[in-house]
Amino acid sequence: MERNKALEIVAKQLTEKRYTHTLGVMETAIDLAILYEADEKKAELAAIFHDYAKFRPLEEMKKIIIEQKFDPLLLQYNPELWHAPVGAYLIQEEVGIKDVEIINAVRYHTSGRMNMTLLEKIIYLADYIEPGRQFPGVEEARKLAKKDLDEALIYSVKNTIIFLMNKNQAVYPDTFTFYNDLVMKKERYVYGE
């Protein structure tokens, strides 16, 4: 699918502010794909569609989660997580995207998971560091992203977990698993195992 067609589809689903965010994620994802030798076209499309379901009504998302037998744990956590798996489903049903790598990059862009693929990592990080984001630590994450993808992800996921804990919010288990997986793989690499 061509970029302009994809953006036209997504623009109908998003607010102006979220569309601007999406453009930032797209450009960042392309830059990261070039840097880390990932498929640029897939990074572009996954970034464009990553927030496809962001503004769907909660009841519609809840219904899809139940009907499609997604992880029922999702319903116990902050609804901010829901748009990722629901979006992954809807881009298949409504847009016709069948590429599993793109679908999974959309599905895991908020929670992360164990054994993230390169594309999934790029979309997760691009969403976190795109130019419109302004929060404590984002500049450090941007610097790390230029040097070491996994280090940037460890830093970003840790920041997210700490942010949620400071607000007394529950942390979805896949996010802890993602963090642990990154750290343990890094340790194995460092210790030569």
Side-chain angles (χ1 to χ4, degrees):
M1 179 179 297
E2 286 299 312
R3 177 191 292 196
N4 289 341
K5 176 67 176 164
L7 288 171
E8 184 183 311
I9 292 167
V10 162
K12 295 173 186 165
Q13 303 293 324
L14 304 176
T15 62
E16 189 176 327
K17 183 178 178 186
R18 186 54 54 163
Y19 182 75
T20 300
H21 160 75
T22 295
L23 293 176
V25 175
M26 179 189 73
E27 293 300 334
T28 305
I30 292 168
D31 290 346
L32 290 171
I34 292 166
L35 182 62
Y36 293 104
E37 299 178 6
D39 187 312
E40 293 170 48
K41 189 66 182 163
K42 288 184 183 188
E44 177 184 80
L45 281 178
I48 290 171
F49 286 105
H50 84 283
D51 276 347
Y52 183 76
K54 183 81 172 173
F55 297 104
R56 295 295 174 107
L58 289 181
E59 280 308 311
E60 178 187 350
M61 288 197 277
K62 184 176 182 179
K63 184 177 181 217
I64 290 169
I65 289 167
I66 293 167
E67 287 177 355
Q68 296 305 311
K69 297 180 175 36
F70 294 161
D71 183 357
L73 262 183
L74 276 168
L75 298 175
Q76 297 174 32
Y77 287 82
N78 192 314
E80 272 296 307
L81 290 169
W82 299 359
H83 75 279
V86 170
Y89 169 75
L90 289 176
I91 64 171
Q92 295 172 79
E93 297 299 309
E94 295 178 0
V95 183
I97 292 175
K98 301 298 180 204
D99 188 297
V100 175
E101 288 183 90
I102 293 170
I103 292 163
N104 282 337
V106 171
R107 178 175 287 125
Y108 298 109
H109 85 269
T110 55
S111 65
R113 68 169 174 158
M114 183 177 276
N115 295 319
M116 292 268 276
T117 66
L118 178 58
L119 182 63
E120 290 167 22
K121 289 176 177 182
I122 284 170
I123 299 306
Y124 184 100
L125 189 60
D127 185 32
Y128 191 83
I129 65 169
E130 64 92 3
R133 296 281 200 198
Q134 299 300 321
F135 55 84
V138 73
E139 286 303 328
E140 182 62 23
R142 288 179 181 133
K143 282 183 204 163
L144 287 168
K146 292 175 182 168
K147 295 185 224 163
D148 186 318
L149 183 64
D150 284 349
E151 281 297 329
L153 285 162
I154 289 168
Y155 180 85
S156 302
V157 178
K158 182 171 32 173
N159 257 12
T160 299
I161 291 169
I162 291 168
F163 174 79
L164 292 170
M165 291 174 78
N166 284 338
K167 290 177 68 177
N168 290 325
Q169 289 188 359
V171 180
Y172 190 60
D174 281 357
T175 305
F176 276 124
T177 302
F178 179 33
Y179 175 78
N180 287 339
D181 187 48
L182 289 165
V183 170
M184 291 170 81
K185 283 178 178 163
K186 196 61 122 167
E187 284 177 1
R188 272 187 234 119
Y189 176 75
V190 169
Y191 298 122
E193 291 179 19

Tab-separated table of all heavy atoms in Angstrom, residues 71-123:
chain	number	residue	atom	x	y	z
A	71	ASP	N	-6.302	-11.830	24.877
A	71	ASP	CA	-5.952	-12.049	26.278
A	71	ASP	C	-6.994	-11.370	27.175
A	71	ASP	O	-7.109	-10.144	27.176
A	71	ASP	CB	-4.565	-11.463	26.548
A	71	ASP	CG	-4.087	-11.702	27.971
A	71	ASP	OD1	-4.845	-12.266	28.786
A	71	ASP	OD2	-2.948	-11.306	28.262
A	72	PRO	N	-7.777	-12.140	27.944
A	72	PRO	CA	-8.811	-11.539	28.787
A	72	PRO	C	-8.231	-10.621	29.872
A	72	PRO	O	-8.934	-9.751	30.391
A	72	PRO	CB	-9.545	-12.733	29.393
A	72	PRO	CG	-8.664	-13.909	29.201
A	72	PRO	CD	-7.750	-13.600	28.052
A	73	LEU	N	-6.951	-10.809	30.180
A	73	LEU	CA	-6.289	-9.928	31.151
A	73	LEU	C	-6.341	-8.466	30.727
A	73	LEU	O	-6.344	-7.567	31.552
A	73	LEU	CB	-4.823	-10.323	31.298
A	73	LEU	CG	-4.403	-11.202	32.464
A	73	LEU	CD1	-2.907	-11.404	32.446
A	73	LEU	CD2	-4.875	-10.678	33.786
A	74	LEU	N	-6.370	-8.234	29.411
A	74	LEU	CA	-6.404	-6.868	28.891
A	74	LEU	C	-7.515	-6.051	29.536
A	74	LEU	O	-7.342	-4.872	29.837
A	74	LEU	CB	-6.634	-6.877	27.375
A	74	LEU	CG	-5.430	-7.054	26.490
A	74	LEU	CD1	-5.860	-7.344	25.063
A	74	LEU	CD2	-4.538	-5.830	26.542
A	75	LEU	N	-8.653	-6.690	29.741
A	75	LEU	CA	-9.821	-5.980	30.266
A	75	LEU	C	-9.644	-5.549	31.719
A	75	LEU	O	-10.379	-4.693	32.200
A	75	LEU	CB	-11.075	-6.834	30.106
A	75	LEU	CG	-11.432	-7.170	28.651
A	75	LEU	CD1	-12.620	-8.111	28.598
A	75	LEU	CD2	-11.696	-5.905	27.851
A	76	GLN	N	-8.655	-6.104	32.389
A	76	GLN	CA	-8.395	-5.724	33.779
A	76	GLN	C	-7.391	-4.574	33.886
A	76	GLN	O	-7.173	-4.051	34.965
A	76	GLN	CB	-7.869	-6.935	34.562
A	76	GLN	CG	-8.863	-8.068	34.657
A	76	GLN	CD	-8.253	-9.294	35.299
A	76	GLN	OE1	-7.379	-9.198	36.158
A	76	GLN	NE2	-8.695	-10.467	34.875
A	77	TYR	N	-6.786	-4.214	32.770
A	77	TYR	CA	-5.764	-3.177	32.767
A	77	TYR	C	-6.275	-1.919	32.081
A	77	TYR	O	-7.344	-1.902	31.479
A	77	TYR	CB	-4.482	-3.695	32.094
A	77	TYR	CG	-3.749	-4.675	32.978
A	77	TYR	CD1	-4.128	-6.006	33.023
A	77	TYR	CD2	-2.718	-4.255	33.811
A	77	TYR	CE1	-3.487	-6.904	33.866
A	77	TYR	CE2	-2.068	-5.143	34.648
A	77	TYR	CZ	-2.459	-6.463	34.672
A	77	TYR	OH	-1.832	-7.337	35.514
A	78	ASN	N	-5.488	-0.869	32.147
A	78	ASN	CA	-5.857	0.420	31.599
A	78	ASN	C	-6.306	0.281	30.137
A	78	ASN	O	-5.583	-0.296	29.317
A	78	ASN	CB	-4.652	1.369	31.691
A	78	ASN	CG	-5.020	2.802	31.416
A	78	ASN	OD1	-5.724	3.101	30.468
A	78	ASN	ND2	-4.530	3.702	32.251
A	79	PRO	N	-7.468	0.825	29.810
A	79	PRO	CA	-7.960	0.753	28.427
A	79	PRO	C	-7.020	1.373	27.389
A	79	PRO	O	-7.183	1.130	26.194
A	79	PRO	CB	-9.293	1.515	28.480
A	79	PRO	CG	-9.741	1.398	29.901
A	79	PRO	CD	-8.469	1.404	30.711
A	80	GLU	N	-6.027	2.151	27.834
A	80	GLU	CA	-5.021	2.688	26.906
A	80	GLU	C	-4.309	1.572	26.144
A	80	GLU	O	-3.806	1.783	25.046
A	80	GLU	CB	-3.974	3.517	27.662
A	80	GLU	CG	-4.337	4.960	27.833
A	80	GLU	CD	-4.430	5.709	26.507
A	80	GLU	OE1	-3.481	5.676	25.704
A	80	GLU	OE2	-5.475	6.321	26.272
A	81	LEU	N	-4.262	0.376	26.726
A	81	LEU	CA	-3.611	-0.758	26.075
A	81	LEU	C	-4.455	-1.353	24.950
A	81	LEU	O	-3.935	-2.005	24.052
A	81	LEU	CB	-3.344	-1.874	27.094
A	81	LEU	CG	-2.280	-1.639	28.150
A	81	LEU	CD1	-2.347	-2.725	29.211
A	81	LEU	CD2	-0.897	-1.616	27.514
A	82	TRP	N	-5.750	-1.172	25.015
A	82	TRP	CA	-6.669	-1.894	24.138
A	82	TRP	C	-6.502	-1.573	22.667
A	82	TRP	O	-6.712	-2.417	21.801
A	82	TRP	CB	-8.118	-1.645	24.548
A	82	TRP	CG	-8.470	-2.080	25.933
A	82	TRP	CD1	-7.650	-2.692	26.859
A	82	TRP	CD2	-9.736	-1.926	26.578
A	82	TRP	NE1	-8.345	-2.912	28.029
A	82	TRP	CE2	-9.618	-2.456	27.884
A	82	TRP	CE3	-10.949	-1.384	26.170
A	82	TRP	CZ2	-10.682	-2.462	28.783
A	82	TRP	CZ3	-12.017	-1.393	27.062
A	82	TRP	CH2	-11.883	-1.930	28.353
A	83	HIS	N	-6.172	-0.309	22.348
A	83	HIS	CA	-6.165	0.083	20.933
A	83	HIS	C	-5.109	-0.650	20.110
A	83	HIS	O	-5.249	-0.759	18.892
A	83	HIS	CB	-5.996	1.604	20.781
A	83	HIS	CG	-4.617	2.101	21.039
A	83	HIS	ND1	-4.132	2.318	22.309
A	83	HIS	CD2	-3.609	2.429	20.186
A	83	HIS	CE1	-2.885	2.762	22.223
A	83	HIS	NE2	-2.544	2.836	20.953
A	84	ALA	N	-4.083	-1.170	20.769
A	84	ALA	CA	-3.028	-1.866	20.019
A	84	ALA	C	-3.518	-3.218	19.471
A	84	ALA	O	-3.497	-3.423	18.248
A	84	ALA	CB	-1.779	-2.005	20.872
A	85	PRO	N	-3.983	-4.147	20.316
A	85	PRO	CA	-4.474	-5.407	19.753
A	85	PRO	C	-5.731	-5.222	18.899
A	85	PRO	O	-5.895	-5.889	17.880
A	85	PRO	CB	-4.744	-6.282	20.979
A	85	PRO	CG	-4.838	-5.355	22.128
A	85	PRO	CD	-4.001	-4.168	21.789
A	86	VAL	N	-6.598	-4.305	19.299
A	86	VAL	CA	-7.800	-4.045	18.509
A	86	VAL	C	-7.410	-3.455	17.152
A	86	VAL	O	-7.955	-3.839	16.114
A	86	VAL	CB	-8.786	-3.129	19.274
A	86	VAL	CG1	-9.918	-2.656	18.373
A	86	VAL	CG2	-9.343	-3.853	20.499
A	87	GLY	N	-6.448	-2.545	17.151
A	87	GLY	CA	-5.966	-1.974	15.899
A	87	GLY	C	-5.375	-3.033	14.986
A	87	GLY	O	-5.600	-3.020	13.768
A	88	ALA	N	-4.619	-3.963	15.566
A	88	ALA	CA	-4.030	-5.051	14.774
A	88	ALA	C	-5.127	-5.875	14.101
A	88	ALA	O	-4.995	-6.276	12.938
A	88	ALA	CB	-3.156	-5.928	15.666
A	89	TYR	N	-6.199	-6.104	14.820
A	89	TYR	CA	-7.336	-6.836	14.263
A	89	TYR	C	-8.034	-6.015	13.169
A	89	TYR	O	-8.313	-6.517	12.073
A	89	TYR	CB	-8.317	-7.186	15.391
A	89	TYR	CG	-9.638	-7.710	14.912
A	89	TYR	CD1	-9.762	-9.013	14.421
A	89	TYR	CD2	-10.777	-6.907	14.929
A	89	TYR	CE1	-10.986	-9.498	13.968
A	89	TYR	CE2	-11.993	-7.380	14.480
A	89	TYR	CZ	-12.096	-8.680	14.008
A	89	TYR	OH	-13.298	-9.155	13.556
A	90	LEU	N	-8.295	-4.751	13.462
A	90	LEU	CA	-9.059	-3.912	12.529
A	90	LEU	C	-8.308	-3.587	11.236
A	90	LEU	O	-8.935	-3.457	10.187
A	90	LEU	CB	-9.497	-2.616	13.220
A	90	LEU	CG	-10.580	-2.775	14.286
A	90	LEU	CD1	-10.856	-1.446	14.975
A	90	LEU	CD2	-11.859	-3.353	13.691
A	91	ILE	N	-6.987	-3.490	11.299
A	91	ILE	CA	-6.271	-3.212	10.042
A	91	ILE	C	-6.348	-4.424	9.106
A	91	ILE	O	-6.266	-4.267	7.886
A	91	ILE	CB	-4.807	-2.737	10.245
A	91	ILE	CG1	-3.939	-3.801	10.900
A	91	ILE	CG2	-4.780	-1.414	10.995
A	91	ILE	CD1	-2.448	-3.468	10.928
A	92	GLN	N	-6.545	-5.594	9.677
A	92	GLN	CA	-6.762	-6.769	8.833
A	92	GLN	C	-8.178	-6.755	8.245
A	92	GLN	O	-8.364	-6.938	7.042
A	92	GLN	CB	-6.586	-8.054	9.648
A	92	GLN	CG	-5.178	-8.270	10.148
A	92	GLN	CD	-5.120	-9.433	11.106
A	92	GLN	OE1	-5.116	-10.588	10.687
A	92	GLN	NE2	-5.099	-9.136	12.402
A	93	GLU	N	-9.154	-6.510	9.120
A	93	GLU	CA	-10.559	-6.580	8.727
A	93	GLU	C	-10.995	-5.411	7.846
A	93	GLU	O	-11.751	-5.604	6.898
A	93	GLU	CB	-11.451	-6.633	9.983
A	93	GLU	CG	-11.233	-7.850	10.840
A	93	GLU	CD	-11.543	-9.150	10.111
A	93	GLU	OE1	-12.641	-9.253	9.528
A	93	GLU	OE2	-10.688	-10.048	10.113
A	94	GLU	N	-10.560	-4.204	8.178
A	94	GLU	CA	-11.059	-3.009	7.500
A	94	GLU	C	-10.136	-2.500	6.389
A	94	GLU	O	-10.606	-1.895	5.435
A	94	GLU	CB	-11.284	-1.877	8.514
A	94	GLU	CG	-12.369	-2.183	9.522
A	94	GLU	CD	-12.579	-1.095	10.560
A	94	GLU	OE1	-11.886	-0.057	10.518
A	94	GLU	OE2	-13.453	-1.288	11.423
A	95	VAL	N	-8.845	-2.740	6.542
A	95	VAL	CA	-7.880	-2.204	5.584
A	95	VAL	C	-7.334	-3.295	4.669
A	95	VAL	O	-6.886	-3.023	3.566
A	95	VAL	CB	-6.723	-1.466	6.322
A	95	VAL	CG1	-5.756	-0.843	5.341
A	95	VAL	CG2	-7.276	-0.420	7.273
A	96	GLY	N	-7.382	-4.538	5.143
A	96	GLY	CA	-6.900	-5.649	4.331
A	96	GLY	C	-5.424	-5.933	4.457
A	96	GLY	O	-4.841	-6.622	3.618
A	97	ILE	N	-4.799	-5.436	5.510
A	97	ILE	CA	-3.378	-5.716	5.732
A	97	ILE	C	-3.246	-7.152	6.239
A	97	ILE	O	-3.882	-7.534	7.221
A	97	ILE	CB	-2.760	-4.706	6.721
A	97	ILE	CG1	-2.712	-3.320	6.053
A	97	ILE	CG2	-1.369	-5.159	7.167
A	97	ILE	CD1	-2.233	-2.210	6.948
A	98	LYS	N	-2.417	-7.916	5.574
A	98	LYS	CA	-2.252	-9.337	5.918
A	98	LYS	C	-0.835	-9.668	6.391
A	98	LYS	O	-0.588	-10.790	6.826
A	98	LYS	CB	-2.601	-10.221	4.711
A	98	LYS	CG	-4.022	-10.031	4.206
A	98	LYS	CD	-5.051	-10.400	5.256
A	98	LYS	CE	-6.472	-10.208	4.722
A	98	LYS	NZ	-7.443	-9.992	5.781
A	99	ASP	N	0.077	-8.733	6.287
A	99	ASP	CA	1.463	-8.982	6.666
A	99	ASP	C	1.569	-9.138	8.188
A	99	ASP	O	1.304	-8.201	8.937
A	99	ASP	CB	2.343	-7.823	6.188
A	99	ASP	CG	3.819	-8.104	6.380
A	99	ASP	OD1	4.249	-8.269	7.548
A	99	ASP	OD2	4.544	-8.149	5.374
A	100	VAL	N	1.943	-10.327	8.619
A	100	VAL	CA	1.984	-10.651	10.048
A	100	VAL	C	2.965	-9.754	10.805
A	100	VAL	O	2.704	-9.384	11.949
A	100	VAL	CB	2.330	-12.147	10.260
A	100	VAL	CG1	2.496	-12.485	11.729
A	100	VAL	CG2	1.246	-13.012	9.653
A	101	GLU	N	4.073	-9.396	10.179
A	101	GLU	CA	5.050	-8.535	10.855
A	101	GLU	C	4.462	-7.153	11.147
A	101	GLU	O	4.663	-6.602	12.240
A	101	GLU	CB	6.312	-8.386	10.010
A	101	GLU	CG	7.166	-9.634	9.975
A	101	GLU	CD	8.426	-9.393	9.171
A	101	GLU	OE1	9.434	-8.958	9.791
A	101	GLU	OE2	8.398	-9.626	7.951
A	102	ILE	N	3.759	-6.600	10.196
A	102	ILE	CA	3.124	-5.303	10.396
A	102	ILE	C	2.027	-5.411	11.454
A	102	ILE	O	1.929	-4.579	12.363
A	102	ILE	CB	2.554	-4.755	9.057
A	102	ILE	CG1	3.704	-4.427	8.096
A	102	ILE	CG2	1.669	-3.529	9.299
A	102	ILE	CD1	3.275	-4.101	6.678
A	103	ILE	N	1.213	-6.449	11.348
A	103	ILE	CA	0.113	-6.664	12.300
A	103	ILE	C	0.661	-6.769	13.728
A	103	ILE	O	0.154	-6.128	14.652
A	103	ILE	CB	-0.688	-7.925	11.911
A	103	ILE	CG1	-1.435	-7.667	10.592
A	103	ILE	CG2	-1.653	-8.334	13.029
A	103	ILE	CD1	-1.931	-8.924	9.891
A	104	ASN	N	1.718	-7.553	13.910
A	104	ASN	CA	2.286	-7.714	15.254
A	104	ASN	C	2.971	-6.450	15.757
A	104	ASN	O	2.959	-6.173	16.960
A	104	ASN	CB	3.237	-8.910	15.304
A	104	ASN	CG	2.486	-10.222	15.388
A	104	ASN	OD1	1.337	-10.277	15.820
A	104	ASN	ND2	3.128	-11.296	14.964
A	105	ALA	N	3.552	-5.679	14.863
A	105	ALA	CA	4.163	-4.407	15.284
A	105	ALA	C	3.084	-3.473	15.830
A	105	ALA	O	3.314	-2.760	16.816
A	105	ALA	CB	4.912	-3.764	14.127
A	106	VAL	N	1.920	-3.479	15.213
A	106	VAL	CA	0.790	-2.690	15.723
A	106	VAL	C	0.307	-3.292	17.045
A	106	VAL	O	0.094	-2.580	18.026
A	106	VAL	CB	-0.358	-2.623	14.684
A	106	VAL	CG1	-1.614	-1.994	15.288
A	106	VAL	CG2	0.093	-1.854	13.441
A	107	ARG	N	0.158	-4.612	17.088
A	107	ARG	CA	-0.385	-5.309	18.258
A	107	ARG	C	0.434	-5.054	19.534
A	107	ARG	O	-0.122	-4.903	20.611
A	107	ARG	CB	-0.445	-6.812	17.988
A	107	ARG	CG	-0.956	-7.624	19.176
A	107	ARG	CD	-1.128	-9.098	18.832
A	107	ARG	NE	-2.296	-9.243	17.979
A	107	ARG	CZ	-2.302	-9.829	16.783
A	107	ARG	NH1	-1.196	-10.347	16.276
A	107	ARG	NH2	-3.414	-9.907	16.080
A	108	TYR	N	1.755	-4.989	19.406
A	108	TYR	CA	2.603	-4.919	20.603
A	108	TYR	C	3.245	-3.552	20.830
A	108	TYR	O	4.148	-3.431	21.646
A	108	TYR	CB	3.666	-6.017	20.545
A	108	TYR	CG	3.044	-7.391	20.532
A	108	TYR	CD1	3.065	-8.186	19.395
A	108	TYR	CD2	2.376	-7.866	21.660
A	108	TYR	CE1	2.462	-9.428	19.378
A	108	TYR	CE2	1.768	-9.121	21.647
A	108	TYR	CZ	1.811	-9.896	20.503
A	108	TYR	OH	1.196	-11.120	20.495
A	109	HIS	N	2.769	-2.518	20.144
A	109	HIS	CA	3.442	-1.222	20.255
A	109	HIS	C	3.206	-0.517	21.589
A	109	HIS	O	3.926	0.408	21.915
A	109	HIS	CB	3.082	-0.300	19.080
A	109	HIS	CG	1.820	0.478	19.245
A	109	HIS	ND1	0.593	0.017	18.815
A	109	HIS	CD2	1.595	1.695	19.782
A	109	HIS	CE1	-0.338	0.921	19.089
A	109	HIS	NE2	0.251	1.950	19.675
A	110	THR	N	2.237	-0.953	22.372
A	110	THR	CA	2.031	-0.333	23.692
A	110	THR	C	2.576	-1.193	24.820
A	110	THR	O	3.118	-0.664	25.787
A	110	THR	CB	0.534	-0.049	23.974
A	110	THR	OG1	-0.197	-1.255	23.819
A	110	THR	CG2	-0.001	1.011	23.053
A	111	SER	N	2.434	-2.499	24.704
A	111	SER	CA	2.817	-3.379	25.816
A	111	SER	C	4.206	-3.964	25.674
A	111	SER	O	4.865	-4.239	26.671
A	111	SER	CB	1.815	-4.542	25.935
A	111	SER	OG	1.874	-5.368	24.780
A	112	GLY	N	4.644	-4.186	24.432
A	112	GLY	CA	5.842	-4.979	24.231
A	112	GLY	C	5.516	-6.433	24.528
A	112	GLY	O	4.381	-6.770	24.878
A	113	ARG	N	6.514	-7.294	24.399
A	113	ARG	CA	6.367	-8.719	24.716
A	113	ARG	C	7.740	-9.357	24.673
A	113	ARG	O	8.717	-8.747	24.225
A	113	ARG	CB	5.432	-9.412	23.733
A	113	ARG	CG	6.004	-9.503	22.320
A	113	ARG	CD	5.178	-10.425	21.473
A	113	ARG	NE	5.620	-10.410	20.075
A	113	ARG	CZ	5.385	-11.375	19.226
A	113	ARG	NH1	4.722	-12.444	19.601
A	113	ARG	NH2	5.810	-11.301	17.983
A	114	MET	N	7.819	-10.592	25.111
A	114	MET	CA	9.063	-11.336	25.019
A	114	MET	C	9.378	-11.611	23.545
A	114	MET	O	8.464	-11.809	22.746
A	114	MET	CB	8.932	-12.660	25.779
A	114	MET	CG	10.210	-13.481	25.789
A	114	MET	SD	10.031	-14.983	26.762
A	114	MET	CE	10.355	-14.334	28.380
A	115	ASN	N	10.646	-11.617	23.213
A	115	ASN	CA	11.109	-11.945	21.860
A	115	ASN	C	10.526	-11.031	20.783
A	115	ASN	O	10.104	-11.496	19.729
A	115	ASN	CB	10.813	-13.417	21.525
A	115	ASN	CG	11.581	-14.363	22.407
A	115	ASN	OD1	12.756	-14.136	22.705
A	115	ASN	ND2	10.919	-15.409	22.864
A	116	MET	N	10.527	-9.737	21.058
A	116	MET	CA	10.065	-8.781	20.059
A	116	MET	C	10.932	-8.884	18.811
A	116	MET	O	12.157	-9.020	18.909
A	116	MET	CB	10.154	-7.356	20.606
A	116	MET	CG	9.182	-7.055	21.728
A	116	MET	SD	7.609	-6.372	21.170
A	116	MET	CE	8.004	-4.641	21.028
A	117	THR	N	10.310	-8.775	17.650
A	117	THR	CA	11.064	-8.750	16.396
A	117	THR	C	11.686	-7.361	16.231
A	117	THR	O	11.307	-6.412	16.924
A	117	THR	CB	10.144	-9.030	15.192
A	117	THR	OG1	9.208	-7.951	15.069
A	117	THR	CG2	9.410	-10.359	15.349
A	118	LEU	N	12.581	-7.251	15.279
A	118	LEU	CA	13.219	-5.962	15.007
A	118	LEU	C	12.166	-4.913	14.644
A	118	LEU	O	12.202	-3.790	15.164
A	118	LEU	CB	14.243	-6.113	13.880
A	118	LEU	CG	14.974	-4.846	13.434
A	118	LEU	CD1	15.726	-4.189	14.586
A	118	LEU	CD2	15.920	-5.172	12.274
A	119	LEU	N	11.224	-5.270	13.798
A	119	LEU	CA	10.179	-4.322	13.405
A	119	LEU	C	9.328	-3.909	14.607
A	119	LEU	O	9.013	-2.727	14.785
A	119	LEU	CB	9.294	-4.910	12.295
A	119	LEU	CG	8.194	-3.980	11.778
A	119	LEU	CD1	8.793	-2.729	11.128
A	119	LEU	CD2	7.288	-4.719	10.789
A	120	GLU	N	8.956	-4.856	15.440
A	120	GLU	CA	8.162	-4.541	16.639
A	120	GLU	C	8.911	-3.579	17.552
A	120	GLU	O	8.331	-2.622	18.066
A	120	GLU	CB	7.824	-5.833	17.398
A	120	GLU	CG	6.828	-6.719	16.677
A	120	GLU	CD	6.722	-8.114	17.261
A	120	GLU	OE1	7.082	-8.314	18.438
A	120	GLU	OE2	6.292	-9.013	16.529
A	121	LYS	N	10.197	-3.824	17.727
A	121	LYS	CA	11.014	-2.937	18.564
A	121	LYS	C	11.062	-1.529	17.977
A	121	LYS	O	10.961	-0.541	18.707
A	121	LYS	CB	12.439	-3.488	18.690
A	121	LYS	CG	12.567	-4.728	19.548
A	121	LYS	CD	14.016	-5.228	19.514
A	121	LYS	CE	14.229	-6.423	20.396
A	121	LYS	NZ	15.639	-6.866	20.388
A	122	ILE	N	11.217	-1.448	16.676
A	122	ILE	CA	11.308	-0.143	16.012
A	122	ILE	C	10.017	0.656	16.190
A	122	ILE	O	10.064	1.848	16.505
A	122	ILE	CB	11.677	-0.337	14.523
A	122	ILE	CG1	13.169	-0.672	14.415
A	122	ILE	CG2	11.318	0.893	13.685
A	122	ILE	CD1	13.623	-1.121	13.043
A	123	ILE	N	8.878	0.009	16.034
A	123	ILE	CA	7.602	0.725	16.172
A	123	ILE	C	7.376	1.125	17.627
A	123	ILE	O	6.953	2.254	17.909
A	123	ILE	CB	6.428	-0.114	15.624
A	123	ILE	CG1	6.635	-0.412	14.127
A	123	ILE	CG2	5.088	0.591	15.862
A	123	ILE	CD1	6.883	0.812	13.246
